[in-house]
Amino acid sequence: MKDLTKEIFTMLFLLTDARYLLRTHKFHEGGRYLPRGELMRILVEIKESLKRVEDIIERDDYLDVGGMDIVEGLEVRTIEEEYININPIQVGGRLTPEAMKAIIAYADGYSVCDWCLKPFRLDRIRRPQLERFHKELAEFIGMREARLVPGARRGFQAVINSVARDGIVVVSSLAHYTEYLAAEEAGAKVYEIPVGENNIIRPENLEEKITEIKRKMGEEPDLVIVDHVDYQYGNLHPIRDLSRVAHEHGIPVLCNCAYTLGIMPVDGRKLEVDFIVGSGHKSFSSPAPSGILGIGDEYVERVLSGSRIRGDISGRTYPNKETSILGCTLMGCTAVAMMASFPRVKERVRRWGEEVEKANHFCQQFLRIAGNRVLSEMPRRHTLIRVDTRESFDKIARGHKRKGYFLYEELRNRGITGIFPGATRIWKLNTYGLSWDEVRYLSETFIEIAKKYGIEVQ
Ligand SMILES: *Cc1c(COP(=O)(O)O)cnc(C)c1O
């Protein structure tokens, strides 16, 4: 761990200890319950923590702080402080500074429930302004209603349980495993749309699949799930055209925007879909587990219906609680962290074009290395990139004493991390959020490693 990183964590922890003292010895003026002497003692203790922070700041050299485990077995995570991270699933979920601050302020369990008044629902809380956030979020994604859910998978689950329980769900053959499991949990069968040319899901493939299902099963599917951008190739699929095919058959469409909502523009109305599902921890600079479920006009009542159950003894009912999402979903810092990231997220989706430019720049450079291939569609329309290095880095791996780990280690030694340890054949990276300087450095580093091992570079 670099010294500066260590120092910053040390200071954060000292401040945390000071804050904890404050919490455990109430300093509320109206309710002083400790003897004055005791209060003074605590104050001195707090000041001492703050003084130690000051000492760290004032030192010219770096402080050599010892082990940094929070509790035994729980180390501090410093990857984002110390490395350029190109991990395909992590880059869009890195927190904004506002989200970090929200977590500091709202980390206690049911922290957003202080002002939860009738009808006692997360999306109706006005302090903090979660109600407004939900409304703005629905607008942002072009849907009638929006709800926060613990991960995209819980969004699939809520929709499938509402419109396709024990039914038939069509997914693409590039679908994420959570789509299959959400269907399974709801007792639904899954059928896959084959991929067309270039690993793109084509409308005609969907049409054929629906016809085939009808012929074999005697009924039409209850739901079609299409990935806006799939997780395997990072390819952008023709959602509106796919949706039109499904709608001709009267089948609702869920667009899985796990890799898009929060990093590129997503508008459910333009896509002509009935549901939008996004992942907070993948693409919305939010902590896990978090996600977004957007619902179009026609399905609001079906998916967000109030509970109808009644206790047989108490006679209690919960008509205000939405059954499909089990009432409330993200009851604390996850919800406010999403809200805190929202302004920057709105801003960053407008800069998507430049992110794609950087991904294309990387690909151009990466392809200068003899044997390298990009398996994703080209030019790139997304920053997730699937590459094939079987004819380049994998050949080196075969003769290297560290085998496949050599590439991971060469990158790591140069301050880059996030590729799968041991991967030298077919693997993925994501350039999202890197600055131009970082993208250039990343490209040059691959070239430098290639040259080091005698791979030709054009
Ligand atoms: C990551 C991912 C998911 C799962 O998202 P969670 O928010 O973790 O549930 C679903 N679908 C796709 C395409 C993904 O890439």
Side-chain angles (χ1 to χ4, degrees):
M1 207 190 295
K2 289 207 191 71
D3 293 333
L4 184 58
T5 308
K6 237 177 170 179
E7 283 195 356
I8 286 180
F9 273 101
T10 306
M11 291 190 276
L12 286 170
F13 290 174
L14 282 167
L15 293 174
T16 304
D17 290 337
R19 179 186 178 195
Y20 191 75
L21 275 174
L22 198 59
R23 302 184 134 207
T24 44
H25 300 86
K26 310 299 176 187
F27 279 82
H28 190 279
E29 291 197 9
R32 211 174 259 166
Y33 65 94
L34 284 179
R36 197 167 166 75
E38 178 72 358
L39 265 182
M40 292 316 286
R41 192 185 61 74
I42 301 298
L43 255 177
V44 167
E45 220 175 302
I46 290 175
K47 290 274 188 200
E48 268 165 15
S49 284
L50 302 182
K51 185 76 181 55
R52 283 178 64 199
V53 172
E54 209 173 52
D55 289 346
I56 295 174
I57 294 169
E58 278 172 6
R59 286 172 70 101
D60 290 330
D61 56 335
Y62 288 116
L63 182 72
D64 182 22
V65 254
M68 293 239 45
D69 291 1
I70 296 166
V71 291
E72 207 235 287
L74 181 60
E75 62 183 353
V76 168
R77 178 173 184 264
T78 56
I79 286 201
E80 301 297 348
E81 281 75 15
E82 297 181 76
Y83 292 92
I84 291 176
N85 188 3
I86 53 171
N87 186 312
I89 67 173
Q90 290 181 335
V91 296
R94 284 181 292 222
L95 299 188
T96 59
E98 293 78 20
M100 291 183 188
K101 290 173 192 171
I103 290 173
I104 289 175
Y106 281 85
D108 296 302
Y110 283 114
S111 59
V112 300
C113 307
D114 298 334
W115 301 94
C116 180
L117 310 171
K118 259 189 169 164
F120 308 118
R121 241 171 51 198
L122 185 79
D123 62 301
R124 302 292 288 277
I125 292 173
R126 291 197 172 147
R127 186 176 165 189
Q129 295 189 352
L130 282 160
E131 183 174 54
R132 195 180 74 189
F133 174 50
H134 278 80
K135 289 209 171 91
E136 289 177 0
L137 198 52
E139 224 169 274
F140 176 65
I141 59 175
M143 288 273 116
R144 176 64 184 289
E145 291 283 342
R147 293 290 181 273
L148 305 184
V149 287
R153 62 197 73 198
R154 294 291 183 175
F156 310 147
Q157 191 185 31
V159 172
I160 300 172
N161 269 313
S162 306
V163 306
R165 186 186 301 214
D166 300 324
I168 298 172
V169 177
V170 171
V171 300
S172 97
S173 37
L174 300 173
H176 194 258
Y177 83 91
T178 53
E179 297 173 28
Y180 295 83
L181 267 62
E184 183 175 20
E185 190 277 331
K189 286 194 189 68
V190 163
Y191 289 91
E192 298 167 327
I193 318 166
V195 287
E197 207 183 310
N198 266 337
N199 295 305
I200 302 280
I201 306 294
R202 310 274 171 196
E204 54 273 22
N205 301 137
L206 174 58
E207 180 68 54
E208 264 169 45
K209 195 71 195 192
I210 294 173
T211 311
E212 181 196 319
I213 292 169
K214 212 166 154 185
R215 201 179 58 235
K216 277 197 197 148
M217 311 287 295
E219 51 191 317
E220 290 201 321
D222 301 282
L223 177 69
V224 170
I225 305 182
V226 282
D227 303 328
H228 194 196
V229 161
D230 69 84
Y231 81 99
Q232 299 197 39
Y233 293 90
N235 289 353
L236 189 64
H237 301 278
I239 302 302
R240 200 197 54 186
D241 296 341
L242 289 162
S243 193
R244 285 185 178 174
V245 168
H247 285 163
E248 271 166 29
H249 294 268
I251 308 167
V253 176
L254 183 159
C255 185
N256 177 358
C257 299
Y259 260 113
T260 55
L261 202 179
I263 63 169
M264 65 178 266
V266 168
D267 183 334
R269 292 204 176 91
K270 281 193 194 147
L271 296 171
E272 297 182 17
V273 296
D274 305 284
F275 307 103
I276 291 272
V277 170
S279 173
H281 46 264
K282 189 172 270 142
S283 302
F284 207 88
S285 282
S286 300
S290 60
I292 294 159
L293 167 61
I295 304 159
D297 299 323
E298 286 176 54
Y299 289 91
V300 169
E301 272 166 42
R302 267 176 85 180
V303 177
L304 296 180
S305 56
S307 161
R308 285 193 293 268
I309 205 159
R310 179 183 208 97
D312 72 325
I313 294 176
S314 66
R316 282 178 300 163
T317 58
Y318 308 93
N320 293 328
K321 304 288 192 194
E322 293 162 343
T323 309
S324 68
I325 56 172
L326 299 182
C328 289
T329 51
L330 310 183
M331 320 67 176
C333 64
T334 21
V336 285
M338 292 182 88
M339 184 172 147
S341 280
F342 191 39
R344 260 186 219 255
V345 162
K346 276 192 286 193
E347 211 266 313
R348 78 185 192 180
V349 301
R350 289 200 288 268
R351 284 185 275 110
W352 175 242
E354 196 175 355
E355 292 294 337
V356 173
E357 261 179 60
K358 284 184 267 186
N360 278 305
H361 172 83
F362 171 79
C363 288
Q364 278 164 13
Q365 297 302 310
F366 191 75
L367 289 172
R368 287 173 56 204
I369 299 168
N372 276 2
R373 289 176 65 210
V374 172
L375 301 178
S376 305
E377 62 173 344
M378 287 290 278
R380 297 300 303 123
R381 293 191 287 169
H382 194 275
T383 56
L384 174 64
I385 305 161
R386 185 181 179 95
V387 298
D388 177 348
T389 55
R390 284 176 298 187
E391 294 301 316
S392 52
F393 295 123
D394 193 55
K395 284 191 171 162
I396 307 301
R398 276 175 242 158
H400 199 287
K401 64 177 189 305
R402 298 291 300 144
K403 294 280 181 258
Y405 291 99
F406 98 93
L407 183 58
Y408 173 82
E409 286 165 5
E410 292 284 8
L411 287 168
R412 196 130 167 140
N413 290 339
R414 291 168 175 81
I416 295 166
T417 196
I419 79 166
F420 195 75
T424 47
R425 297 171 64 77
I426 292 174
W427 48 278
K428 294 187 286 187
L429 76 153
N430 196 335
T431 56
Y432 186 73
L434 299 187
S435 65
W436 273 110
D437 283 338
E438 287 172 330
V439 170
R440 283 190 209 104
Y441 175 73
L442 179 71
S443 312
E444 283 158 18
T445 301
F446 275 107
I447 288 172
E448 185 185 305
I449 296 169
K451 283 183 177 161
K452 175 176 170 183
Y453 290 98
I455 304 174
E456 203 182 310
V457 175
Q458 278 121 36

